[in-house]
Amino acid sequence: QQKVQQSPESLSVPEGGMASLNCTSSDRNFQYFWWYRQHSGEGPKALMSIFSDGDKKEGRFTAHLNKASLHVSLHIRDSQPSDSALYFCAASEHRHNRIFFGDGTQLVVKP
Amino acid sequence: NSKVIQTPRYLVKGQGQKAKMRCIPEKGHPVVFWYQQNKNNEFKFLINFQNQEVLQQIDMTEKRFSAECPSNSPCSLEIQSSEAGDSALYLCASIQGPAEQFFGPGTRLTVL
């Protein structure tokens, strides 16, 4: 069973709009969560980490974690065409352990 | 920006051939990971090292995969006898302390 589930599989938003991505884990041992972004032809790059319940904001990006429900979300406000990419939710039990990735959300921001 | 270096960027092999790829982690990062990302963008963890020692690894079926991170040399991942199903993007990542994993651009392996 996939340990990290993401939704939606794909998302299209207009430039300047809000994009919301969701992620649910099935493993209560996960303590550390990340959002990664991958552009075509590149390796994934970490966007944000979130380790505590609540919201974490960095510029246009806000992550939310609810450990009780094992739910993580990412909200991108004022979306730009350059935000178009594959987004992955990732989780691990310990900070130096392997990361479990979700299947990804393909975000398209239309000018 | 990540400075994890992976070579080659593209690798084409015939079935049964050896395929070897290399990774230079970010300077000062003692922990190195290898992942396989298939055409459906699914990630599969392969192995990780702390300095030269293996921390975790999957049960690499048929033992066709081998990896090492020797001191003062690039880390490497080798597939002894490539199969069509091995075609994927192989990603190396490194980490220092309690931070996110920094990924290289990957080696795209195509097995004909």
Side-chain angles (χ1 to χ4, degrees):
Chain A
Q1 181 187 1
Q2 183 81 358
K3 290 196 173 193
V4 180
Q5 296 88 35
Q6 272 185 255
S7 64
E9 285 186 17
S10 62
L11 181 62
S12 179
V13 299
E15 184 174 357
M18 172 77 84
S20 294
L21 290 68
N22 295 291
C23 173
T24 303
S25 167
S26 60
D27 191 334
R28 292 205 166 272
N29 292 320
F30 288 150
Q31 296 294 316
Y32 304 99
F33 297 86
W34 292 265
W35 283 99
Y36 279 82
R37 180 165 72 181
Q38 186 176 25
H39 285 106
S40 181
E42 299 178 3
K45 288 183 172 61
L47 265 180
M48 293 185 70
S49 61
I50 186 163
F51 304 153
S52 303
D53 279 340
D55 291 337
K56 182 177 181 182
K57 186 177 179 182
E58 292 182 359
R60 298 184 293 111
F61 300 88
T62 300
H64 176 81
L65 172 61
N66 181 328
K67 284 193 176 181
S69 61
L70 294 176
H71 182 257
V72 189
S73 60
L74 178 69
H75 304 279
I76 308 172
R77 65 171 176 81
D78 190 23
S79 298
Q80 301 298 308
S82 58
D83 294 328
S84 296
L86 203 49
Y87 288 76
F88 292 97
C89 174
S92 74
E93 297 179 18
H94 302 289
R95 286 173 173 173
H96 281 186
N97 275 25
R98 57 174 291 189
I99 291 178
F100 290 84
F101 287 88
D103 285 341
T105 294
Q106 182 71 57
L107 174 66
V108 175
V109 181
K110 295 185 176 179
Chain B
N1 286 334
S2 172
K3 293 181 176 62
V4 176
I5 299 170
Q6 289 191 249
T7 56
R9 290 293 306 273
Y10 301 93
L11 192 55
V12 180
K13 294 291 178 182
Q15 294 200 47
Q17 290 187 318
K18 282 188 183 180
K20 188 168 186 174
M21 55 205 83
R22 292 175 176 82
C23 169
I24 300 176
E26 286 219 29
K27 191 174 182 180
H29 284 197
V31 184
V32 175
F33 299 77
W34 285 99
Y35 295 89
Q36 178 195 67
Q37 186 180 22
N38 67 19
K39 63 180 181 180
N40 295 321
N41 295 315
E42 296 163 336
F43 288 83
K44 180 179 182 180
F45 167 80
L46 298 176
I47 192 169
N48 62 348
F49 293 85
Q50 181 158 7
N51 298 315
Q52 294 81 51
E53 301 297 319
V54 175
L55 289 177
Q56 301 169 291
Q57 63 179 331
I58 63 165
D59 178 23
M60 291 179 178
T61 307
E62 300 173 59
K63 305 298 184 187
R64 294 184 300 110
F65 289 73
S66 61
E68 61 178 2
C69 266
S71 176
N72 298 318
S73 293
C75 297
S76 65
L77 176 69
E78 186 172 52
I79 305 172
Q80 298 301 318
S81 177
S82 301
E83 298 177 354
D86 298 330
S87 295
L89 183 67
Y90 288 84
L91 292 161
C92 176
S94 68
I95 189 171
Q96 177 193 43
E100 69 271 16
Q101 295 184 14
F102 290 88
F103 284 82
T107 293
R108 173 77 61 188
L109 172 65
T110 302
V111 182
L112 301 175

